[in-house]
């Protein structure tokens, strides 16, 4: 190959060649922005395949697989066909391996027939994987041209555990070059779009998963999160997710950018259309005792007492939530404010107490986190680009039909100044400051006991995951609502609440802008452009409180459902 462009073009062609010809559909022009109904109307899926793929509740799918009402082969085939439809519409996939996945599904079916029992708790379930989780004998490209042809000689630990649980890994999904973007574009596979509006980004870096799961092309996908890469695409695509704390779930032998940076660890988690799916995946992986395979994994079994909210007064207790209306850095758009108001009203109607969260040293937390990420001054990214000679992508903005919104410089530069390569000693000092900030924020949270009326500190914080709904490609510039949790290592979930409504979500008058990005985000809002897009929120719990976060998210979701029925 003469250039990185040739490498990328050849690899993209091999991907196209891996699509079964009988699954090719007519793709509508770009002017048709919402493509959610095309799988239902394109004629490729049978009525039974539509029933299978539109069963959002993962527990229902697992029950029907356990009881052999549906076979893994037919479920995997149905989701594979829908995944290929989703890919043709949103460009969400990287690896397509139909024969391998169906062979695994047949093995799962044969086991159930022969032994009369399931392999494990995820028996027969097709699961999509972000293009970081290695599958033996397959490439893991992770958005770099220089990684084309890099074949994994073993499975990542998560994949090993999924096999033990009876699951069927069946596709891998697109990511941005470097992974350090809240959007999804690279030179190898191109740009992934949002099925609610293809002019908009699905988020990133797990944007391929976001688009695929939103299209019902996968019942459950696995993404990663180091600054919001699970939660941003989940809120942009109307999904549920969980960002666990550092090392709760096994990351070993998955590939990553900035490997060796261990102060702010990347974590993995599920993305799905049902909160039941979040619990099913998380419990199944923890019950597999992942610390037997990953030396960094926390040796903590699934804690049923925590899931029953034993640290919060029990399942029948009235909880106290605190709403972070605004993080003091970027003011949220009107639909986010309405979603927070809806959630507050629903929780109060259910008998819970809701107070305002008081921000604590947020700018300092932001500065420390970004400084740690920037400590190598891009050396890691540039080294991977140098493998092929491809340029480092500097913007997610498309070459044509780009939105007029753009920042002349990122917020980090305006706060931190120009980046430079830090010495080891300077990085150690940042780690020291980060520990001190974590302690300070813990004390601040504990002190809320004086305001809750429950005898406990605030049970959980509810905040935006992003200050806006899914935005035009190239415009997702803010991640501090999510990276806040990564820097402090708080377990957090995302749950859908509503959709942007141009009649209800009118622009607010200008406020006193805190920084140039806050001003740009304010000017971005256009009720017509954002109309109909999903609006989700984030629930923030304590470190290693995954069981409690799932349970408290159930409380919030149940309250919201009850509110819509009254």
């Amino acid at each position: 190959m003469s250039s990185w462009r040739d490498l990328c073009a050849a690899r993209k062609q091999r991907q196209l060649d891996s699509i079964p010809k009988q699954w090719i559909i007519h793709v509508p022009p770009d002017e048709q922005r919402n493509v959610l109904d095309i799988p239902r109307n394109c004629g490729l899926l049978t009525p039974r395949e539509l029933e299978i793929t539109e069963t959002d509740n993962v527990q229902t799918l697992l029950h029907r697989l356990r009881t052999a009402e549906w076979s893994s082969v037919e479920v995997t085939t149905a989701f594979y066909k829908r995944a290929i439809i989703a890919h043709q519409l949103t460009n969400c996939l990287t690896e397509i391996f139909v024969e391998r996945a169906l062979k695994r599904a047949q093995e799962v079916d044969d086991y159930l027939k022969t032994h009369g029992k399931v392999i494990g708790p995820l028996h027969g379930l097709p699961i999509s994987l972000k293009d970081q989780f290695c599958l033996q004998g397959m490439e893991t490209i992770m958005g770099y041209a220089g990684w084309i042809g890099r074949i994994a000689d073993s499975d990542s630990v998560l994949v090993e555990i999924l096999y033990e649980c009876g699951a069927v890994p069946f596709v891998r999904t697109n990511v941005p070059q470097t992974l350090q973007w809240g959007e999804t574009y690279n030179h190898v596979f191109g740009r992934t779009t949002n099925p609610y509006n293809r002019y908009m980004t699905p988020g990133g870096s797990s944007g391929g998963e976001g688009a695929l799961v939103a299209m019902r092309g996968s019942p459950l996908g696995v993404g990663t999160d180091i600054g919001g890469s699970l939660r941003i695409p989940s809120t942009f695509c109307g999904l549920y997710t969980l960002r666990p704390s550092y090392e709760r779930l096994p990351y070993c032998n998955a590939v990553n950018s900035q490997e060796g940076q261990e102060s702010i660890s990347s974590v993995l988690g599920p993305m799905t259309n049902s909160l039941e799916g979040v619990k099913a995946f998380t419990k199944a992986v923890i019950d597999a005792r992942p610390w037997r395979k990953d030396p960094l994994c926390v040796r903590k079994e699934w804690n049923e007492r925590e899931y029953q909210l034993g640290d919060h007064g029990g399942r029948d207790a009235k909880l106290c939530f605190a709403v972070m209306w605004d993080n003091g850095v970027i003011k949220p758009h009107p639909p986010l404010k309405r979603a927070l108001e809806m959630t507050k009203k629903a929780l109060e109607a259910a008998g819970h107490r809701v107070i305002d969260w008081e921000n604590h040293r947020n700018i300092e937390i932001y500065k420390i986190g970004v400084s740690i990420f920037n400590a190598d001054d891009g050396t890691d990214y540039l080294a991977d680009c140098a493998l092929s000679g491809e340029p480092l992508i500097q913007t997610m903005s498309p070459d044509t039909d780009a939105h007029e919104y753009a920042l002349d410089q990122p917020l980090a530069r305006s706060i931190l100044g120009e980046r430079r390569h830090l010495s080891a000693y300077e990085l150690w000092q940042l780690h020291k400051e980060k520990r001190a900030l974590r302690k300070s924020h813990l004390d601040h949270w504990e002190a809320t006991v004086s305001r809750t009326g429950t005898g406990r500190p605030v049970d959980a914080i509810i905040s935006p995951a992003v200050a806006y709904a899914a935005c035009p490609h190239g415009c997702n510039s803010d991640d501090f609502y999510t990276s806040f949790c990564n820097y402090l290592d708080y377990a957090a979930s995302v749950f859908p609440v509503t959709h942007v409504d141009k009649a209800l979500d009118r622009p607010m008058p200008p406020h006193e802008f805190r920084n140039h990005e806050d001003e740009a985000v304010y000017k971005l809002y256009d009720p017509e452009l954002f109309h109909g897009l999903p609006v989700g929120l984030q629930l923030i719990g304590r470190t290693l409180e995954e069981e409690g976060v799932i349970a408290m998210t159930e409380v919030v979701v149940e309250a919201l459902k009850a509110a819509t029925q009254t």
Side-chain angles (χ1 to χ4, degrees):
M1 292 296 176
S2 59
S3 73
W4 64 268
R5 290 185 178 86
D6 295 330
L7 283 169
C8 294
R11 183 61 185 85
K12 183 65 175 177
Q13 186 59 51
R14 291 199 298 276
Q15 182 202 50
L16 294 174
D17 292 343
S18 68
I19 297 175
K21 298 299 182 285
Q22 65 272 26
W23 294 354
I24 300 294
I25 64 166
H26 170 72
V27 177
D30 292 343
E31 288 72 24
Q32 182 175 336
R33 292 186 171 182
N34 187 309
V35 293
L36 289 168
D37 288 338
I38 289 179
R40 193 175 302 114
N41 299 323
C42 68
L44 179 59
L45 300 173
T46 68
R48 187 172 174 91
E49 288 169 339
L50 286 170
E51 180 188 4
I52 290 169
T53 55
E54 293 180 6
T55 301
D56 286 343
N57 190 317
V58 170
Q59 291 287 19
T60 301
L61 280 168
L62 289 169
H63 172 75
R64 292 178 179 174
L65 286 161
R66 265 196 312 271
T67 58
E69 180 180 347
W70 291 342
S71 72
S72 182
V73 166
E74 67 175 332
V75 170
T76 302
T77 300
F79 277 106
Y80 227 130
K81 290 170 71 174
R82 193 153 180 154
I84 295 299
I85 296 170
H87 177 65
Q88 293 173 77
L89 297 168
T90 66
N91 193 43
C92 54
L93 304 182
T94 58
E95 301 289 342
I96 298 167
F97 43 100
V98 180
E99 290 184 7
R100 175 170 169 160
L102 291 179
K103 180 182 178 183
R104 164 65 178 173
Q106 186 63 61
E107 291 170 355
V108 168
D109 286 336
D110 290 345
Y111 184 94
L112 179 59
K113 184 177 180 180
T114 301
H115 297 277
K117 62 179 182 179
V118 297
I119 294 173
L122 301 177
H123 182 94
L125 187 72
I127 291 181
S128 50
L129 300 169
K130 186 177 182 178
D131 199 12
Q132 290 181 256
F133 297 103
C134 297
L135 290 161
Q136 185 176 19
M138 295 181 62
E139 290 173 291
T140 310
I141 293 171
M142 207 182 77
Y144 282 116
W147 287 28
I148 294 171
R150 183 179 290 189
I151 306 296
D153 57 11
S154 63
D155 294 322
S156 64
V157 165
L158 175 71
V159 171
E160 292 178 8
I161 287 175
L162 291 179
Y163 285 140
E164 289 181 6
C165 290
V168 181
F170 78 115
V171 290
R172 281 218 305 255
T173 54
N174 204 20
V175 300
Q177 185 201 64
T178 76
L179 300 181
Q180 300 294 321
W181 290 94
E183 303 194 27
T184 301
Y185 168 71
N186 61 70
H187 292 131
V188 184
F189 296 108
R191 185 183 306 279
T192 301
T193 60
N194 191 314
Y196 282 87
N197 183 336
R198 292 188 291 172
Y199 185 68
M200 305 299 208
T201 178
S205 60
S206 308
E209 284 297 335
L212 176 66
V213 178
M215 291 285 291
R216 272 63 179 177
S218 172
L220 190 149
V222 185
T224 64
D225 192 313
I226 198 171
S229 293
L230 284 162
R231 289 160 292 156
I232 294 169
S234 291
T235 192
F236 281 3
C237 296
L239 308 176
Y240 296 90
T241 193
L242 173 71
R243 182 263 168 203
S245 289
Y246 304 157
E247 325 302 352
R248 184 75 198 272
L249 300 181
Y251 212 99
C252 186
N253 294 337
V255 296
N256 205 355
S257 61
Q258 292 190 323
E259 289 186 324
Q261 186 283 108
E262 296 188 351
S263 179
I264 304 166
S265 294
S266 182
V267 301
L268 68 89
M271 299 169 68
T272 177
N273 285 293
S274 73
L275 188 53
E276 292 87 353
V278 171
K279 183 195 173 190
F281 172 86
T282 306
K283 187 175 187 302
V285 174
I286 291 172
D287 284 349
R289 301 170 64 84
W291 49 87
R292 298 175 302 120
K293 297 176 179 288
D294 184 341
L296 298 183
C297 215
V298 175
R299 191 182 181 90
K300 180 186 175 187
E301 296 182 352
W302 176 266
N303 192 317
E304 189 63 22
R305 186 189 66 82
E306 290 184 15
Y307 177 65
Q308 296 302 329
L309 296 177
D311 293 333
H312 303 272
R315 278 284 180 168
D316 295 329
K318 299 306 179 184
L319 305 178
C320 180
F321 297 90
V323 173
M324 184 191 293
W325 299 96
D326 183 333
N327 65 8
V329 181
I330 305 294
K331 189 176 182 66
H333 279 179
L336 277 300
K337 182 173 184 291
R338 180 168 62 87
L340 289 167
E341 290 169 345
M342 289 172 61
T343 304
K344 179 178 187 292
K345 183 178 179 180
L347 286 169
E348 289 175 337
H352 302 290
R353 180 168 166 76
V354 182
I355 64 176
D356 294 341
W357 177 257
E358 296 176 354
N359 292 323
H360 179 72
R361 304 179 72 176
N362 277 6
I363 287 292
E364 293 174 74
I365 294 167
Y366 177 84
K367 288 174 66 176
I368 287 296
V370 174
S371 296
I372 290 170
F373 283 146
N374 290 346
D376 76 334
D377 194 23
T379 300
D380 178 84
Y381 312 144
L382 293 170
D384 281 317
C385 287
L387 294 171
S388 68
E390 71 171 315
L392 181 67
I393 293 173
Q394 303 287 336
T395 177
M396 288 282 122
S397 187
D399 294 332
T400 59
D401 198 26
H403 191 272
E404 62 181 354
Y405 162 79
L407 288 175
D408 58 351
Q409 59 175 327
L411 178 64
R413 187 180 301 173
S414 66
I415 291 178
L416 304 177
E418 293 297 323
R419 292 188 333 200
R420 63 184 181 84
H421 200 140
L422 303 184
S423 69
Y425 179 77
E426 288 172 313
L427 181 59
W428 294 346
Q429 302 316 299
L430 293 176
H431 294 170
K432 179 180 177 181
E433 291 178 50
K434 176 172 168 279
R435 283 199 303 271
L437 280 170
R438 289 184 66 185
K439 167 60 174 166
S440 181
H441 205 273
L442 173 63
D443 292 345
H444 176 72
W445 192 324
E446 287 291 312
T448 61
V449 67
S450 65
R451 298 197 293 127
T452 62
T454 63
R456 304 183 305 274
V458 161
D459 292 297
I461 303 167
I462 296 174
S463 82
V466 191
Y468 33 81
C471 57
H473 300 288
C475 298
N476 188 20
S477 56
D478 175 60
D479 69 0
F480 185 51
Y481 281 97
T482 50
S483 61
F484 167 84
C485 299
N486 299 84
Y487 303 154
L488 298 176
D489 197 26
Y490 289 147
S493 68
V494 156
F495 55 95
V497 177
T498 186
H499 293 81
V500 180
D501 186 323
K502 61 185 178 183
L504 298 175
D505 302 316
R506 304 307 303 166
M508 293 182 289
H511 56 281
E512 185 175 342
F513 299 123
R514 299 84 178 258
N515 50 70
H516 74 285
E517 186 172 351
D518 185 41
E519 180 179 5
V521 167
Y522 170 81
K523 292 177 178 178
L524 174 65
Y525 184 59
D526 176 351
E528 292 287 343
L529 178 62
F530 284 83
H531 180 72
L533 292 170
V535 181
L537 295 176
Q538 176 176 231
L539 184 144
I540 304 170
R542 305 294 191 104
T543 303
L544 292 172
E545 195 187 12
E546 289 76 22
E547 295 91 336
V549 164
I550 293 170
M552 286 187 283
T553 307
E554 291 172 352
V555 170
V556 175
V557 170
E558 288 166 8
L560 284 166
K561 287 179 179 176
T564 61
Q565 293 167 0
T566 57

